[in-house]
Amino acid sequence: MSEQATVAAPRVKPVETFRGDFTYSNSPEAIRRFPFPFHRDDYMYSVNIEPHDGTPPGSAYAPAFDIDEHYLSEMAERRTVLEEDPKRCQVLPYMMEAQWDTLELMMTSLAADYPEHFSLTRDGDTWTWENRLLDIRDTFTFKDADTLPLEPFEYITRQVQGDFTLHGQRNDMLYMDGGMVTCQADWSLDFDLGMNFYEWHGPVPRAHEMGVFERALKYLLTLKVGSPVRRLNWTMTVNPRMDTSPENYDKWGIDRATITPDNVGELAHLRVELQSLWRLPRSNAILFSIRCYLISMEELATVPKWARRFHRVLRDLPEDLADYKGFIGFRPTVLDYLARHDDGAATSPGGAPD
Amino acid sequence: MSAVDSIPVRVAAIETVSPFIKTFTLEPTDGGPLPAFSGGSHVVVTMQGRDKNHRNPYSLMSSPYERRFYQISVRREDDGRGGSKFLHGNVRVGDQLFVSPPANLFALNELGRRHILIAGGIGITPFLSQLYELRAQDSDYALHYAYRRADDTAFLDRLAAEHGERAHFYESSQGHYLDPGRILAEQPLGTHVYVCGPEGLIDTVVTRARRLGWPASHIHAEEFAAPPSGRPFTVVLDKSGDELEVGPDDTVLDVLEDNGYAPDCSCRGGVCGECETAVITGEIEHHDDYLSEEVKREHSRMMICVSRAASERVVLDL
């Protein structure tokens, strides 16, 4: 799939910040390719899984792992988070095969999708990896962890945008057996490590009663090598802050009280996760990729269809979901802002801009 | 497996290992490496016969660390639906076949402290790939392999040479019988047992282990039972209105595929759950190990890879 989906080398911005002075913003091109998650004017949970098959060409969905203009910023942010809290990257000891599976999948995918930025040369088990964006060039022996500066999973996920978790499959069940989690929407790898599929989804309202997790688990247990799948999830975040972790709640929880009618367009962000799931061939484990995109309400409103539709989705979202997603307090202010951009006109089907 | 998912392979070698068993070496037609896999995985092999396509699942027996070729061993089933006879009688070196990407329904549990593998006859095949992993990971394991006659199976010398004291052999024609109760009784806590072979062997191992107090999570069985034959019936597809005849040796899945449908499926043995299909009307004769007894009694769903209609017609939500 990656072979067909070669993506033009993205223009990568210099480092912007996701904390402190929050210099992060989206260029007009980044706004156009934002994975807007609402295909209709209303929203409810569903398993909503589709093949992650390299389509549509040119979109954020096409590459195996999307690299965009924020690459350097997100990699710098990840380094900062890990310096403060090394437990954001943990892998249980029996997952070494899955670590190498992940490294191979990411290196081959990035080299195929972005040949200008990444290359992989393999001579038997002697591999040379080049990441020109981060100025990395390493020659190592595949399957010999001593030849890499870090364990293989941490080594490669410090070079790919998005959070990643590793799931062992045993007893017809998936377990949270590892991850690199630095840009999460209020969940903790350190807390969830070792949990099973139902346990780590415990806090999600409604979906258990709807049988969503039984169906999703059944589906994932038969996920096939070479046939990854994807879905979208969303919430709202105040400021373009990647690290909204429980560990750092004291730093960002209070932000939600700072939204006013004057700053809402700049401060309130729609946060979208492009989640993809991959069966790893040798370990039979599953790699879960959670790629986070942030867009401010001001930026969103530059696409009239999105402003109209998000206004309607947010307005009609049940209270318990708004509470679980953490924005029930400032929802009215966002709705006032978006209402000014919603003239009641009909919206076209699908999530793409008109 | 739809056509899009299938990998063209060329038969590179055929080895006759016994009067009933042949080993096929399959290389990718396009020269590229085959997908990596984990020990215990199977592929579905598609063979284009003159009258119909045959599609059978086979365990990969080659090393999971080898991506230049796959190997499968096939026992000729003269009473079967024809796939194994076709492979034995019609397939020559150089012929093209198709394989699905590997899937694993019989994986080793990575948390096991000790692994006991119990094989009967051709049921040795998934263990052959797992044994590469166990050895590479320096795991604690033992293989117990029961078969009828030494000239009926070819893997003995290799297994003895590669696994030494860890491999135990039971030749029933010489009066040596595998005693699952004895093997299971002497294992330490944390051991996992895996069994593949004839139904009788699997039943004995599972029953013995349960009686000895083994937790279900530590007992793993893979039954490569071919779909059973039965009375012919008519399957009606509710959405398209198509009516298709299912012969005594056909499966619903085969008939759908031969008529251009591509339903979800993977194991073709009533285990994985992918081909679960809603039944609108009709009585079902269930042969799968997937649906709960409660669902089976309701006749509301069926696994179309192995189960048949007990009524003359069955209407499916397809």
Side-chain angles (χ1 to χ4, degrees), chain A residues 8-279:
Chain A
R11 195 177 54 81
V12 175
K13 286 188 186 179
V15 172
E16 298 173 326
T17 55
F18 298 100
R19 54 178 70 212
D21 55 356
F22 293 108
T23 59
Y24 168 95
S25 70
N26 287 294
S27 70
E29 299 77 49
I31 293 174
R32 295 287 300 178
R33 72 193 297 282
F34 189 85
F36 186 72
F38 307 109
H39 289 245
R40 307 185 325 177
D41 286 354
D42 53 24
Y43 166 80
M44 193 51 213
Y45 279 136
S46 61
V47 177
N48 70 337
I49 295 177
E50 62 177 10
H52 187 45
D53 57 0
T55 60
S59 72
Y61 309 99
F65 302 98
D66 185 38
I67 301 298
D68 69 9
E69 65 180 19
H70 306 298
Y71 180 76
L72 294 176
S73 308
E74 290 185 34
M75 295 301 97
E77 167 72 9
R78 171 153 292 162
R79 283 194 297 277
T80 304
V81 173
L82 288 168
E83 271 164 31
E84 291 172 357
D85 184 2
K87 287 188 166 178
R88 300 299 189 88
C89 183
Q90 297 186 60
V91 186
L92 294 177
Y94 49 87
M95 296 297 278
M96 190 48 84
E97 195 83 61
Q99 291 206 34
W100 286 109
D101 273 338
T102 303
L103 176 136
E104 179 177 22
L105 173 66
M106 290 184 175
M107 286 187 175
T108 53
S109 301
L110 291 178
D113 285 341
Y114 306 100
E116 291 187 32
H117 293 324
F118 306 96
S119 59
L120 176 66
T121 316
R122 288 187 277 189
D123 178 12
D125 285 339
T126 303
W127 293 21
T128 298
W129 168 247
E130 208 168 338
N131 176 341
R132 287 177 278 276
L133 290 170
L134 290 179
D135 201 20
I136 290 170
R137 189 173 195 280
D138 283 315
T139 298
F140 60 96
T141 306
F142 187 64
K143 295 285 191 84
D144 181 354
D146 293 339
T147 61
L148 279 172
L150 295 164
E151 287 206 342
F153 181 78
E154 179 170 356
Y155 175 80
I156 193 60
T157 55
R158 278 176 178 263
Q159 301 179 48
V160 188
Q161 286 169 268
D163 281 346
F164 300 95
T165 53
L166 283 175
H167 304 280
Q169 181 163 333
R170 301 179 290 279
N171 314 325
D172 292 329
M173 180 50 71
L174 295 170
Y175 297 86
M176 180 86 71
D177 286 343
M180 166 68 90
V181 180
T182 66
C183 50
Q184 68 268 50
D186 204 7
W187 72 278
S188 165
L189 173 70
D190 195 41
F191 185 75
D192 286 0
L193 197 68
M195 285 190 185
N196 76 31
F197 189 81
Y198 295 123
E199 291 164 347
W200 85 69
H201 284 117
V204 184
R206 290 181 185 235
H208 291 274
E209 295 78 4
M210 291 166 64
V212 167
F213 292 123
E214 282 81 2
R215 288 201 301 280
L217 176 62
K218 231 172 175 179
Y219 180 86
L220 293 176
L221 290 174
T222 60
L223 186 66
K224 293 197 189 72
V225 172
S227 303
V229 296
R230 67 180 173 227
R231 68 182 289 267
L232 294 170
N233 197 10
W234 69 280
T235 186
M236 293 195 74
T237 299
V238 181
N239 291 316
R241 189 189 291 277
M242 278 287 176
D243 177 19
T244 49
S245 58
E247 287 90 339
N248 281 332
Y249 185 78
D250 60 310
K251 300 192 178 71
W252 60 268
I254 193 72
D255 289 356
R256 293 182 291 193
T258 63
I259 296 258
T260 66
D262 293 331
N263 65 21
V264 60
E266 191 189 344
L267 260 51
H269 285 71
L270 171 61
R271 181 186 194 105
V272 173
E273 293 173 351
L274 169 51
Q275 305 178 338
S276 60
L277 291 134
W278 306 76
R279 172 72 64 192

Side-chain angles (χ1 to χ4, degrees), chain A residues 262-301:
Chain A
D262 293 331
N263 65 21
V264 60
E266 191 189 344
L267 260 51
H269 285 71
L270 171 61
R271 181 186 194 105
V272 173
E273 293 173 351
L274 169 51
Q275 305 178 338
S276 60
L277 291 134
W278 306 76
R279 172 72 64 192
L280 298 176
R282 290 186 188 82
S283 57
N284 202 41
I286 286 180
L287 172 71
F288 186 34
S289 158
I290 311 154
R291 174 72 162 84
C292 174
Y293 299 81
L294 289 166
I295 189 168
S296 70
M297 291 301 100
E298 274 173 5
E299 290 169 343
L300 186 89

Side-chain angles (χ1 to χ4, degrees), chain B residues 7-158:
Chain B
I7 304 161
V9 291
R10 180 185 155 274
V11 179
I14 302 175
E15 188 191 351
T16 301
V17 298
S18 84
F20 300 103
I21 298 174
K22 285 185 176 181
T23 295
F24 296 80
T25 302
L26 310 172
E27 290 176 346
T29 305
D30 65 8
L34 290 162
F37 67 96
S38 49
S41 293
H42 69 271
V43 295
V44 173
V45 178
T46 302
M47 302 150 252
Q48 291 171 324
R50 193 181 303 161
D51 305 322
K52 66 170 190 174
N53 290 338
H54 302 279
R55 296 179 198 84
N56 282 3
Y58 292 106
S59 295
L60 294 174
M61 56 174 277
S62 41
S63 166
Y65 307 104
E66 177 58 74
R67 294 180 61 183
R68 290 170 301 178
F69 58 82
Y70 289 157
Q71 282 182 320
I72 57 170
S73 274
V74 179
R75 185 184 166 85
R76 196 181 77 214
E77 302 291 349
D78 291 327
D79 299 332
R81 291 172 309 121
S84 68
K85 268 196 291 188
F86 186 86
L87 275 168
H88 270 257
N90 298 63
V91 171
R92 306 274 177 265
V93 169
D95 284 359
Q96 177 161 288
L97 302 171
F98 294 89
V99 297
S100 67
N104 200 343
L105 300 169
F106 194 52
L108 294 168
N109 187 309
E110 283 149 332
L111 298 182
R113 290 190 214 152
R114 179 169 161 77
H115 305 272
I116 302 297
L117 318 181
I118 299 179
I122 194 68
I124 187 70
T125 52
F127 296 132
L128 294 174
S129 64
Q130 290 180 339
L131 284 163
Y132 286 102
E133 287 182 346
L134 290 166
R135 245 177 18 140
Q137 292 159 9
D138 213 12
S139 304
D140 182 10
Y141 68 93
L143 169 71
H144 296 270
Y145 179 20
Y147 46 87
R148 214 164 287 144
R149 274 194 310 277
D151 64 356
D152 202 24
T153 178
F155 313 114
L156 298 177
D157 293 346
R158 191 178 116 195

